[in-house]
Amino acid sequence: MSSYDLVVIGTGPGGYVCAIRAAQLGLKTAVVEKRATHGGTCLNVGCIPSKALLHASEAFQEAGKHFADLGVIVGEPKLDLTKMMAFKDEGVAGNTKGVEFLLKKNGVDTYHGTGRLAGAGRVEVIAEDGGNQLLETKNVVIATGSDVAKLPGVSIDERVVVSSTGALELESVPKKLVVIGAGVIGLELGSVWRRLGSEVVVVEYLDRVLPGMDGEVGKQFQRILGKQGITFKLSAKVTGVEVGKKGGATVTVEPAAGGEAEKIQADVVLVAIGRVPFTDGLGLETVGVQTDNKGRIQTDSQYATNVTGIYAIGDVIAGPMLAHKAEDEGVAVAEILAGQSGHVNYGVIPNVVYTFPEVASVGRTEEELKKEGIRYNAGKFPFTANGRAKVNHTTDGFVKILADADTDRVLGVHIVGADAGNLIAEVAVAMEFGASAEDVARTCHAHPTLTEAVKEAALAVGKRALHI
Ligand code: FAD
Ligand code: NAI
């Protein structure tokens, strides 16, 4: 029987990063993955393929709508969806192979099959052909991620009624796409298909898009997506989806508060109402690992479960379901297991929606600060007043910085705008260092860049923005 210091179950961003860091720190490490390729949801059916299609569909739209404004005449662009999907698949393969290479380079042993807890210090690997292997280990890190949340009574066939996985693989552009859920997946993948020509209707249970993000950001973002042709039905719930015999589906929608139902015809329906922790087949019960009322594995601040030697990280535990959160937890738990003091600052985890424009936020929203009774000053700067955004014709959106009224410490930053996902990084670093808005405002920012909007928003906290 092979024997290890650490066996990691699942090689998504949490698991593979944990294994690499553990190996770097001298722990004899193995990973167990049931998929044929490493990288988990993120690399195979999540972050990477969705960003590939967002990139390609944006290029298609730009070529059709905006190139002529720049004096670039290319004629009417034509869509070759098969080629676009091949471009996406190539990106996925490049990334998953990269993980395989990194695991090998760091001396991590890899096992393919379903990992199952098999009593204290043991993990059983059950291969697809039924064969099994037993691994002995001092520690186990569970990094089995999450799965699509199902809508009761609606079955996903990944052809007409799809999850994000099916929406990344459609063989033709649906004439009409109904998206259930105005969260990150709904708006990113809704944008992809809208740009490629679908009529897109988003049905959302709450009265706003992107719940959890800053309210002002949500409102402006919805307006911008509306201008792009996406239609929203807010405060509405889907009560049924009936797939037609000749294809397509009828979606029954009711006001969330109750009332008369309406029926919407769709060629494809995307169910994007969240994700749930994935622990099927793991054998948690065999060793008594505790889960909470949402099925998440319960851990303490050191990622330890209630069972000695068993830890958990990533989407399968509490916290935002984000790849970088899973990665940072992977590093932290590996360092803890190696006797160091790894930790994650949950107050500074950026959150990005990769639409056009992008939405990015870090720290607390205005709603949260109000709820917590924290006095703050807000500084806001619109991209209409930023020279680079003006010349690029990307003036939609703004930067908003929220700083403590007494100490001026930056508490939250919220951006709607081109490249917001990159812009947020500087304020995340600033917040890690406990910066004040004044610190950001007094930092020299290159001209002409979009980052000047961040500096101006910081100046605006002290009511002294220069360009507005
Ligand atoms: P996962 O990536 O889910 O990996 C878990 C792995 O464990 C899987 O490979 C699974 O096969 C394996 N596994 C499960 N059970 C077993 C078992 N018993 N034995 C062996 N292997 C097992 N996040 C971002 O930060 N940015 C984005 O842009 C982004 N885009 C996304 C787009 C989509 C469409 C989706 C669905 C998600 C997106 N996410 C994004 C979320 C991101 O994918 C997850 O937060 C991230 O993958 C979580 O990492 P993880 O390691 O916890 O789990
Ligand atoms: P989500 O939690 O972001 O959004 C789900 C939305 O569906 C919410 O607005 C919710 O109110 C709504 N909803 C729930 N039940 C509903 C119903 N019955 N009818 C209508 N609306 C309903 O979940 P989503 O978009 O599925 O994404 C899952 C996870 O994946 C997210 O937690 C996110 O963190 C991660 N992800 C991250 C990305 C990124 O970082 N760019 C991209 C894609 C996913």
Side-chain angles (χ1 to χ4, degrees):
M1 196 191 324
S2 304
S3 169
Y4 293 96
D5 294 318
L6 171 64
V7 170
V8 182
I9 306 179
T11 56
Y16 88 75
V17 167
C18 174
I20 290 174
R21 185 73 188 119
Q24 283 177 347
L25 291 167
L27 302 185
K28 187 163 185 249
T29 305
V31 292
V32 183
E33 171 56 56
K34 68 185 170 83
R35 258 199 185 90
T37 51
H38 298 296
T41 303
C42 180
L43 273 63
N44 290 283
V45 292
C47 329
I48 295 298
S50 61
K51 265 78 259 181
L53 288 186
L54 280 157
H55 176 68
S57 61
E58 193 179 323
F60 177 71
Q61 192 181 43
E62 283 288 294
K65 286 206 176 136
H66 302 301
F67 275 17
D69 297 345
L70 312 178
V72 181
I73 309 302
V74 292
E76 189 69 20
K78 282 201 199 97
L79 176 65
D80 181 343
L81 188 59
T82 310
K83 188 137 193 199
M84 196 178 275
M85 289 295 174
F87 162 79
K88 173 208 68 176
D89 293 341
E90 202 184 304
V92 169
N95 277 281
T96 57
K97 281 194 193 117
V99 172
E100 197 176 323
F101 164 78
L102 290 172
L103 290 170
K104 204 167 171 187
K105 181 183 157 208
N106 284 280
V108 175
D109 286 350
T110 55
Y111 294 87
H112 278 284
T114 299
R116 191 171 174 279
L117 302 170
R122 284 178 174 207
V123 173
E124 186 183 10
V125 184
I126 306 158
E128 224 168 83
D129 64 7
N132 70 345
Q133 242 174 312
L134 212 51
L135 311 178
E136 203 175 59
T137 180
K138 289 186 191 138
N139 298 291
V140 177
V141 169
I142 300 170
T144 49
S146 61
D147 195 9
V148 177
K150 311 276 173 359
L151 190 58
V154 176
S155 51
I156 291 175
D157 59 20
E158 299 295 13
R159 292 179 65 81
V160 175
V161 184
V162 298
S163 70
S164 52
T165 304
L168 291 164
E169 310 243 288
L170 297 179
E171 284 168 7
S172 59
V173 178
K175 262 184 101 163
K176 186 158 176 178
L177 172 70
V178 168
V179 176
I180 311 176
V184 201
I185 291 182
L187 300 184
E188 285 189 355
L189 296 181
S191 288
V192 165
W193 293 106
R194 173 72 201 125
R195 292 166 186 173
L196 299 181
S198 297
E199 179 189 347
V200 176
V201 179
V202 180
V203 183
E204 165 60 48
Y205 186 78
L206 299 174
D207 61 357
R208 51 160 302 180
V209 305
L210 295 180
M213 280 220 178
D214 190 88
E216 195 179 7
V217 163
K219 268 199 198 114
Q220 172 124 1
F221 187 51
Q222 189 192 332
R223 263 200 303 273
I224 294 170
L225 292 182
K227 278 197 281 174
Q228 294 174 10
I230 295 181
T231 311
F232 291 93
K233 282 190 179 296
L234 301 182
S235 306
K237 63 180 176 207
V238 169
T239 53
V241 178
E242 202 177 314
V243 177
K245 287 201 179 80
K246 290 185 188 155
T250 307
V251 182
T252 308
V253 181
E254 270 179 28
E260 211 170 307
E262 71 171 303
K263 294 197 184 293
I264 311 174
Q265 293 302 318
D267 299 286
V268 172
V269 180
L270 165 60
V271 180
I273 59 164
R275 293 181 63 84
V276 289
F278 182 80
T279 56
D280 293 3
L282 199 50
L284 290 183
E285 64 294 343
T286 60
V287 284
V289 172
Q290 271 169 10
T291 52
D292 67 13
N293 58 356
K294 291 185 172 159
R296 300 175 297 199
I297 295 179
Q298 270 179 349
T299 54
D300 64 13
S301 60
Q302 308 269 291
Y303 308 101
T305 68
N306 60 310
V307 178
T308 308
I310 301 183
Y311 300 78
I313 56 167
D315 279 12
V316 81
I317 68 168
M321 287 183 166
L322 296 171
H324 39 285
K325 175 260 192 189
E327 285 185 48
D328 285 5
E329 288 178 345
V331 168
V333 76
E335 291 178 348
I336 289 165
L337 290 173
Q340 300 185 352
S341 40
H343 86 288
V344 176
N345 179 358
Y346 290 95
V348 187
I349 294 185
N351 198 349
V352 180
V353 186
Y354 298 86
T355 42
F356 191 87
E358 292 182 344
V359 179
S361 77
V362 63
R364 278 174 281 186
T365 62
E366 283 208 68
E367 291 77 11
E368 284 168 342
L369 292 174
K370 280 181 188 146
K371 207 166 148 195
E372 289 170 43
I374 298 171
R375 289 191 324 113
Y376 63 93
N377 292 320
K380 209 173 128 186
F381 191 80
F383 282 105
T384 43
N386 173 273
R388 187 67 179 275
K390 254 186 177 146
V391 76
N392 286 353
H393 289 201
T394 55
T395 49
D396 273 340
F398 59 84
V399 178
K400 178 163 80 174
I401 297 186
L402 308 171
D404 189 287
D406 298 320
T407 65
D408 195 37
R409 188 179 178 136
V410 178
L411 300 174
V413 181
H414 308 279
I415 308 176
V416 185
D419 223 13
N422 283 321
L423 295 178
I424 205 75
E426 76 156 287
V427 279
V429 174
M431 286 174 73
E432 273 293 347
F433 280 79
S436 61
E438 183 74 13
D439 289 326
V440 177
R442 290 203 178 268
T443 302
C444 188
H445 286 67
H447 176 77
T449 61
L450 300 175
T451 68
E452 288 170 288
V454 175
K455 176 184 171 128
E456 287 276 1
L459 282 166
V461 170
K463 304 208 179 344
R464 55 192 179 89
L466 295 165
H467 289 87
I468 195 157

